[in-house]
Amino acid sequence: MRIVRFLLVSALIFFMTSCTQVIKNSADEIRLSSWRAELKGGGAVEFSFNEDDAEFIILNSKNKTVSEIKGKAFFDKTRLTVFDEKDTQSYVFNYKLKDNKLKLFYAGGEITLKRGKIQS
């Protein structure tokens, strides 16, 4: 009986730890979370990832998409590049991550997004 119990507990621990995503750097931390900012006037910005694919969406006050950048994301220590597959353009954001806030800098402007849920 002890051996069966030991095997069941071992199997449970193995399955629980094998599904855990490990955060090794800022890029992983950004990629494994969703991000959102509320804009003046009622709009919002949403930034999310599905593995290496990024989706950056600007919404108006009626929750309709105003602008969208969607494609492969590439990181280095200070920059995030999203290659939009529709318009074949690369969008380069400088970023700073601190606690639960992600600052994105693009074309002289900046926006601070707050961490949403962790992606599973």
Side-chain angles (χ1 to χ4, degrees):
M1 186 68 172
R2 286 184 181 176
I3 292 174
V4 172
R5 190 178 305 163
F6 173 77
L7 290 174
L8 286 173
V9 170
S10 297
L12 181 63
I13 291 171
F14 173 76
F15 286 116
M16 289 178 68
T17 58
S18 66
C19 296
T20 304
Q21 296 178 344
V22 177
I23 296 174
K24 297 179 183 177
N25 53 43
S26 294
D28 286 345
E29 190 170 350
I30 293 168
R31 190 176 52 79
L32 293 174
S33 297
S34 61
W35 304 89
R36 184 174 172 91
E38 301 295 326
L39 302 175
K40 293 178 183 176
V45 173
E46 296 178 347
F47 198 26
S48 60
F49 295 84
N50 182 7
E51 297 189 16
D52 291 332
D53 293 324
E55 186 172 38
F56 183 89
I57 301 172
I58 300 173
L59 303 165
N60 65 18
S61 60
K62 296 177 182 173
N63 214 30
K64 301 287 183 195
T65 301
V66 175
S67 184
E68 178 181 51
I69 300 170
K70 189 175 183 179
K72 293 291 179 201
F74 305 93
F75 288 88
D76 67 20
K77 288 185 178 186
T78 61
R79 288 182 304 187
L80 159 64
T81 302
V82 179
F83 178 74
D84 190 301
E85 294 151 357
K86 285 183 183 176
D87 67 9
T88 64
Q89 296 292 314
S90 291
Y91 297 89
V92 180
F93 300 90
N94 287 323
Y95 71 86
K96 288 185 183 178
L97 177 63
K98 185 171 182 180
D99 300 324
N100 287 324
K101 294 183 181 178
L102 173 64
K103 278 190 179 185
L104 295 178
F105 306 89
Y106 182 79
E110 77 177 67
I111 188 165
T112 301
L113 298 105
K114 294 181 182 176
R115 184 187 314 267
K117 65 179 181 174
I118 301 293
Q119 306 292 327
S120 53

